[in-house]
Amino acid sequence: MQQLPFDDDLGAPVPLRPWGRWIGATVLILFLAAVIYVFASSPNVKWSAIGQYLFSRPIMNGLLMTIRLTAICMAIGIVLGVCAGLMRVSANPVLNGASWLYVWFFRATPQLVQVIFWFNISLFVPQLYLGFAVVDTNTVVTSFVAATLALGLNQGAYMAEIVRSGIISVDPGQVSAATAIGMNRSQINRLIVLPQALKVILPPAGNEFISLLKSTSLVSAISARDLLNEAQSIYQQNFLVIELLIVASIWYMVLTSLASLGQYFLERYVSGGPVMASDLMARIVQNMAPLSRRMVAR
Amino acid sequence: MTGMVEVRKIHKSFHGTPVLKGVDLSVAAGSVTCIIGPSGSGKSTLLRCINHLEKPDRGRVYVNGQLSGCRERNGVLYECRPRELCLDRRKIGMVFQSFNLFSHMSVLQNLTVGPVTVKGEDGAAARAYALELLERVGLAHKADAMPSQLSGGQQQRVAIARALAMRPSVMLFDEPTSALDPELVGEVLEVMKALAAEGMTMIVVTHEMGFAREVSDHVVFMDEGRIVEEGHPDSVLLKPQHPRLQTFLSRVLG
């Protein structure tokens, strides 16, 4: 039998070398380099045009419009979604049914159709009666209003399902306890259920927000002057199609990246953990440490 | 009288399956009643019918001598409006098997949220009383902790304090120690004993025969949705008459 060692310090094992990851990373970097090379070396793309248009006035206006549309539609979506989500889990069959119908209808029809439909609502309701005055529907429902209505109502339907999933994730015991101390339905929802549902609601809601950011580009169909539409109207004059689509895409990427970052902090805040950007950096540094140590040793 | 509970001919079915089949129960003010019985006998449902967490299909509940959860007009029983129901429930505190502390609130907030939002109490007064209650259950030093940082026994003691914060006249306990590690059962039972000694009316669904013997004034044995035997703990637990109670006790006491 082998003699077992007896000592105060029995040594730490040398960590395994992650060869597979290094090979994988190398392949990935080479592949990305190849893709970038193919695109960057193309003689058919005028790269200077991208820099030229990136901060141009019409693009900036379009960007602002896209941000405004997204913010307003998301706000409408959250309000409608919370209402419809709560209605959907209500014991009241009328509220429940109404919410089901709303969600069904807006998820069952294409978003683009809804956008065009709202823009043409005057075909069904030519005039609006505002109590004191009668106005032409078309003067009220501009392309911006139509876009907000369409995307906001659509967003609400999707948010309703997300809110519902958050609500049913909350332990029913929480509702029993709140009921037992005499809270009414609205107090239970406001103080107990929704705050706890938030943790489950946030990740998919962030996803919806990012999806909405890009869905706003559908409004070019009714010539609302959003980011994509501005890019399109420029390339219809100078034929720099790809260049301007890249310009628009860069801005969409910037916006979605900012949204993801916001989502990260919101989730951290809701889960009760400390909100620190340095955490992410710390993790990266920690993961890099063995590599840098090896390089120094060499 | 404050703290008196009368349950009259309560019936309750779930999806056509009868769970309570005409239960009568009288609980004197300031007394401790333990409900024992095999699982599925309707003990918890009876408890939840008393504060209308479950609506009884038939029958009546009187708390402090007043009809609770329903109103009677011209000899006809009417369901309460939600607002009246909330008012009726304030008189009844409840403690659950799984504690059900509000997990997103601190211990102190768990105690003050009811008095402040439901009864409209002043925040400072509610906090002062909450701290006093936490002192009584031995957890004043945990006022700012989150429920997840507490042991099961501590959580259940907070849950008892939370129910007391509403100043109820009756306390319902639904198997308060069943979810606890054995070594934590004692601390919760101690708090309950102290509460009983102060004269709180308590209705306790429990498997703790020792507690039932020692603390209760009245023991009720339920089986298959009916009260089969009831009486003084010594007679019910030591000289059981009904064969089903005899079998139950021999199983529980080993």
Side-chain angles (χ1 to χ4, degrees), chain A residues 110-193:
Chain A
Q111 243 179 328
L112 183 58
V113 173
Q114 290 172 29
V115 169
I116 296 171
F117 183 90
W118 279 108
F119 192 53
N120 293 293
I121 194 71
S122 63
L123 296 177
F124 302 91
V125 189
Q127 288 176 324
L128 290 176
Y129 300 90
L130 298 174
F132 52 90
V134 180
V135 284
D136 193 3
T137 303
N138 275 337
T139 60
V140 177
V141 186
T142 58
S143 62
F144 182 77
V145 172
T148 331
L149 280 172
L151 295 175
L153 284 167
N154 192 278
Q155 192 65 14
Y158 282 91
M159 283 300 294
E161 282 297 285
I162 291 172
V163 171
R164 186 177 72 92
S165 71
I167 292 170
I168 58 181
S169 79
V170 176
D171 175 13
Q174 297 281 317
V175 177
S176 293
T179 312
I181 60 173
M183 285 193 190
N184 61 35
R185 203 60 243 180
S186 107
Q187 289 167 332
I188 295 173
N189 285 334
R190 250 180 324 114
L191 301 169
I192 308 298
V193 176

Side-chain angles (χ1 to χ4, degrees), chain A residues 173-174 179 181 187 191 196, chain B residues 89 100-101 103-104 117 166:
Chain A
Q174 297 281 317
T179 312
I181 60 173
Q187 289 167 332
L191 301 169
Q196 294 191 43
Chain B
R89 284 191 181 118
N100 298 347
L101 291 181
S103 56
H104 61 302
T117 61
M166 294 295 291

Side-chain angles (χ1 to χ4, degrees), chain B residues 8-20:
Chain B
R8 290 279 171 266
K9 295 280 175 283
I10 289 284
H11 290 257
K12 177 70 184 175
S13 301
F14 290 111
H15 310 292
T17 311
V19 177
L20 296 177

Side-chain angles (χ1 to χ4, degrees), chain A residues 62-79:
Chain A
L63 181 66
L64 266 180
M65 173 60 97
T66 292
I67 293 172
R68 257 168 68 202
L69 264 176
T70 308
I72 295 173
C73 294
M74 195 66 196
I76 296 175
I78 288 170
V79 172

Side-chain angles (χ1 to χ4, degrees), chain B residues 160-185:
Chain B
I160 293 171
R162 175 178 66 181
L164 291 173
M166 294 295 291
R167 302 173 201 262
S169 30
V170 182
M171 285 282 283
L172 310 177
F173 294 83
D174 188 4
E175 304 200 22
T177 57
S178 298
L180 294 176
D181 290 339
E183 81 269 23
L184 302 176
V185 169

Side-chain angles (χ1 to χ4, degrees), chain B residues 147-164:
Chain B
S148 59
Q149 297 167 319
L150 304 181
S151 73
Q154 291 173 328
Q155 289 193 47
Q156 195 60 301
R157 281 146 67 197
V158 171
I160 293 171
R162 175 178 66 181
L164 291 173

